[in-house]
Amino acid sequence: MAEKEKLRQEFLDELQNKLVRASCTDEIYALLAEAAAWLTASEGLSFFIRREDCFEQVCRLGKFPEMEGVTQAELFGGEHPVSFETVMIGKVCLQEKEDGVFMIFRPKPELMTAQNRECLQLICGMGALVQKELWIRGKAHRDAMTDEITGALNRSCLLQRLQEDMGTKIAALIDINVDGFKLYNEMYGYMNSDALLKFVADAIRREKTGQGEIYRFGADEFLLLEPDMTEEQAFDTAERIRMRIRDSSREKKDLLHQLTVSCGIVIYPEYVEDKEELLGCCVRAAYYAKTRGKDQTALWRKEDRPRERSGYYRSSFERIAPTIYALMAAVDAKDQITFRHSLKVSEYATLLAQALELKEEEVEIIREAGLLHD
């Protein structure tokens, strides 16, 4: 008897060491199932995990049959044929609910002792603790890579992603830049600005593909990385995002005025072969859209390089923006009706200037004049 106790204790110690070194939940399930099978010497064993309203079979050994999405009644109430020949033995409990159960198929009666049942419960408890630790570590990692306001991945995660091997498949990087965010933030405060950013992130999620990854890159800037997407598809995606944000913001009660975004697109490796340049070119494409009057989508191409060398990116608006923001904030504090009127005048004047095909610099001057005309 003493020899059996010693053997059982050595077995539990070894199992504990293996569980501590486990790197994923599948490995934990496999270790628990092997341990339970060793203790009971059964013909078969299965481990089930609760997934909402049913139990999913995550591990199966020996002759235990394959079962898909069984309900609690089937697993515990004897409705499933296999239940008549099995013994439920051991539970894994997390967050005060039964998350996992072992089903033992034809165990040896002489091994179904009270001590072995206690050992199985101990095994389950060890597995639950390790699984919870993995979940905590995983959550900490996810939190470190996620923007807490919008739930999008953060800047560090994007930079890490761009360092990985993206292969030779065409991929699209789309910059979604919120128009007038600094002004909005200064006038209405960070809480209203946070609601605006959440709204933009949700709009992007609705229009991206299943493979698309959203990153919050700056205070007013999101980047969408879409693997295996052509130029035409990327442009269509950016336009859907832009129009959804513009149209939906009119009816959004917690947004204080209509919202627009400017989008920039770069295609890899068709237009940018070096990943080091990918990010910069995408941001510049969004800047093109802003200098053309905002609420537009621009595509970066190889022929756009000369504009970078000529100093194209430094507009007059960048230099005088702080003064304009201060004046607009003063107008809004005194008279919100005048402020909203000025926004509309600027918007319509910009559209007319673009329709007349004026130069980009002239369009920008007209837009600023519309904001300040009162």
Side-chain angles (χ1 to χ4, degrees):
M1 185 62 68
E3 187 65 28
K4 287 183 178 180
E5 287 296 326
K6 182 180 178 182
L7 187 62
R8 186 185 291 111
Q9 188 59 49
E10 290 176 351
F11 167 77
L12 291 174
D13 291 342
E14 184 180 355
L15 174 63
Q16 184 176 6
N17 291 332
K18 289 180 179 178
L19 285 171
V20 169
R21 294 194 298 269
S23 59
C24 63
T25 53
D26 287 344
E27 189 176 352
I28 292 173
Y29 301 151
L31 288 170
L32 295 180
E34 288 173 6
W38 182 82
L39 279 175
T40 59
S42 64
E43 294 184 26
L45 181 144
S46 186
F47 191 19
F48 293 85
I49 290 292
R50 185 195 297 273
R51 306 291 190 201
E52 296 181 354
D53 296 331
C54 67
F55 284 82
E56 178 185 344
Q57 190 177 43
V58 295
C59 190
R60 183 168 62 94
L61 297 175
K63 296 181 180 180
F64 202 98
E66 187 173 349
M67 301 166 65
E68 294 185 5
V70 292
T71 65
Q72 184 165 340
E74 290 174 328
L75 205 56
F76 299 111
E79 295 181 15
H80 197 284
V82 76
S83 299
F84 293 109
E85 300 177 297
T86 62
V87 177
M88 190 278 294
I89 188 123
K91 303 175 184 179
V92 177
C93 295
L94 288 173
Q95 299 176 353
E96 299 182 352
K97 70 176 184 180
E98 203 170 89
D99 286 320
V101 295
F102 286 123
M103 297 291 288
I104 312 296
F105 181 68
R106 290 180 183 166
K108 287 188 176 181
E110 64 270 21
L111 294 179
M112 297 301 294
T113 63
Q115 285 183 324
N116 275 359
R117 284 179 179 273
E118 289 178 4
C119 277
L120 285 168
Q121 292 292 347
L122 178 60
I123 288 170
C124 291
M126 290 164 58
L129 287 173
V130 175
Q131 189 172 355
K132 187 174 182 179
E133 176 65 23
L134 281 178
W135 181 84
I136 292 172
R137 292 206 315 250
K139 184 178 183 301
H141 177 72
R142 289 191 299 272
D143 289 346
M145 304 298 279
T146 304
D147 173 55
E148 62 180 355
I149 295 173
T150 64
L153 297 169
N154 60 23
R155 183 189 186 101
S156 298
C157 189
L158 174 62
L159 296 176
Q160 180 178 324
R161 177 72 174 88
L162 293 178
Q163 290 177 354
E164 298 172 0
D165 183 14
M166 295 174 62
T168 57
K169 285 187 176 181
I170 292 178
L173 187 62
I174 305 173
D175 187 313
I176 301 101
N177 201 301
V178 181
D179 295 329
F181 178 76
K182 183 175 181 181
L183 175 61
Y184 190 97
N185 191 40
E186 289 180 352
M187 291 192 309
Y188 303 122
Y190 73 91
M191 292 189 69
N192 287 312
S193 296
D194 287 351
L196 178 147
L197 292 170
K198 291 175 185 176
F199 170 76
V200 173
D202 289 341
I204 298 171
R205 287 190 185 95
R206 289 189 179 96
E207 297 298 340
K208 76 178 188 67
T209 67
Q211 294 180 307
E213 299 169 349
I214 308 173
Y215 302 87
R216 185 181 175 195
F217 191 68
D220 58 353
E221 188 175 18
F222 294 87
L223 289 172
L224 174 60
L225 180 61
E226 287 281 6
D228 197 20
M229 180 173 278
T230 64
E231 175 184 323
E232 292 78 12
Q233 292 170 330
F235 191 86
D236 182 62
T237 299
E239 283 291 279
R240 290 200 315 272
I241 292 171
R242 184 182 64 81
M243 290 187 285
R244 173 182 282 275
I245 291 171
R246 183 193 62 193
D247 297 341
S248 300
S249 67
R250 294 173 181 170
E251 304 172 0
K252 191 74 173 171
K253 293 182 180 179
D254 56 345
L255 298 180
L256 302 179
H257 64 243
Q258 185 180 359
L259 175 67
T260 63
V261 296
S262 299
C263 300
I265 303 170
V266 64
I267 305 298
Y268 172 88
E270 185 175 359
Y271 294 142
V272 178
E273 297 177 0
D274 188 351
K275 286 193 297 183
E276 299 296 326
E277 297 183 11
L278 185 62
L279 192 56
C281 293
C282 187
V283 172
R284 290 163 192 155
Y287 187 76
Y288 291 165
K290 282 188 177 292
T291 58
R292 292 171 187 168
K294 302 185 178 181
D295 191 22
Q296 296 187 35
T297 298
L299 179 70
W300 193 92
R301 298 177 183 274
K302 290 181 179 179
E303 54 266 28
D304 290 327
R305 288 185 182 278
R307 290 199 279 187
E308 179 182 0
R309 291 193 293 270
S310 65
Y312 173 84
Y313 301 106
R314 296 189 60 192
S315 71
S316 60
F317 181 71
E318 270 194 322
R319 294 192 295 272
I320 65 172
T323 303
I324 293 178
Y325 291 145
L327 289 170
M328 290 299 294
V331 171
D332 184 55
K334 184 177 181 181
D335 185 355
Q336 285 194 354
I337 295 177
T338 300
F339 169 72
R340 295 177 189 279
H341 164 70
S342 296
L343 289 177
K344 284 296 181 184
V345 169
S346 177
E347 179 184 347
Y348 293 143
T350 300
L351 291 172
L352 288 170
Q354 291 170 342
L356 292 171
E357 298 182 352
L358 299 181
K359 294 180 181 179
E360 291 179 9
E361 293 83 357
E362 294 173 325
V363 173
E364 186 60 30
I365 291 171
I366 289 171
R367 190 181 76 82
E368 296 163 15
L371 289 172
L372 299 174
H373 78 280
D374 275 339

